[in-house]
Amino acid sequence: MRLHDWQGIGMTSQRSRMRLVDQLEATGIRNRQLLDIICNTPRHLFVDEALAHRAYEDMSLPIGHNQTLSRAYTVARMTEMLLASCPVRRVLEIGTGSGYQACILAQLAVRVYSLERIRSLQEQAARRLQQLDIHNVILRHSDGYKGWPERSPFDGILVTAAPTEVPQKLVDQLTDGGCMVIPVGDAEQCLLKITRHGNQFKQQRIETARFVPLVSGLA
Ligand code: SAH
């Protein structure tokens, strides 16, 4: 099944997806290209069938192993911030999870690299992206704390789990002019935007956030 060939019924229908996009616009997401991509991406195929009917509500959804697919608002906000801040040719995602965020990025960037520490999630995401005929996402089962030095530098880095501090190894893998969007913190988290200018890093606080923790080591 190609990305735009899939069918939805009932709560996974075109109407539910358009309602979600209206909600995202109401919360301030403005990038038309991104909203169209969200409208045309089958989010329900990235969660368990039993949860498919909730896929177009603006809520986070469990994907197993105590992990969650972020709210559509969060995916949209982080992606919009990245698009507005740097050229998105080569993007690194930390925390592949369901593969949904990578699928959105794949439609905007030339090439997406994505790392996941839990093998079964990584394998499932790989199957989903292949089924949807998405071939510009390169997945790897590895610890995202280290980034992907062999494939660096990246124009954009998007981190979808929260470390307690910004990992220096990741900012070092940004291109000059590149940008990283990352939630940081413990009980209280903040979404940060970090932009690289030469060897200077400008850090901007965006808003409070709630992500699963970034955990080191493989599972
Ligand atoms: N972007 C995902 C959201 C997944 S939730 C999606 O679109 O579905 C965060 C993910 O980060 C989880 O799958 C978790 O296993 C993963 N993760 C946590 N720590 C990690 C690490 N050190 N390296 C790679 N992945 C990590």
Side-chain angles (χ1 to χ4, degrees), residues 110-121:
V110 176
R111 187 149 295 175
V112 178
Y113 300 86
S114 184
L115 305 177
E116 170 58 55
R117 67 177 287 273
I118 301 177
R119 183 182 290 280
S120 59
L121 287 179

Side-chain angles (χ1 to χ4, degrees), residues 4 14 19 22 38 105 145 149 204 216:
H4 301 296
Q14 181 75 20
R19 205 178 319 123
D22 286 345
I38 290 175
L105 288 170
Y145 265 109
Q204 219 176 313
S216 57

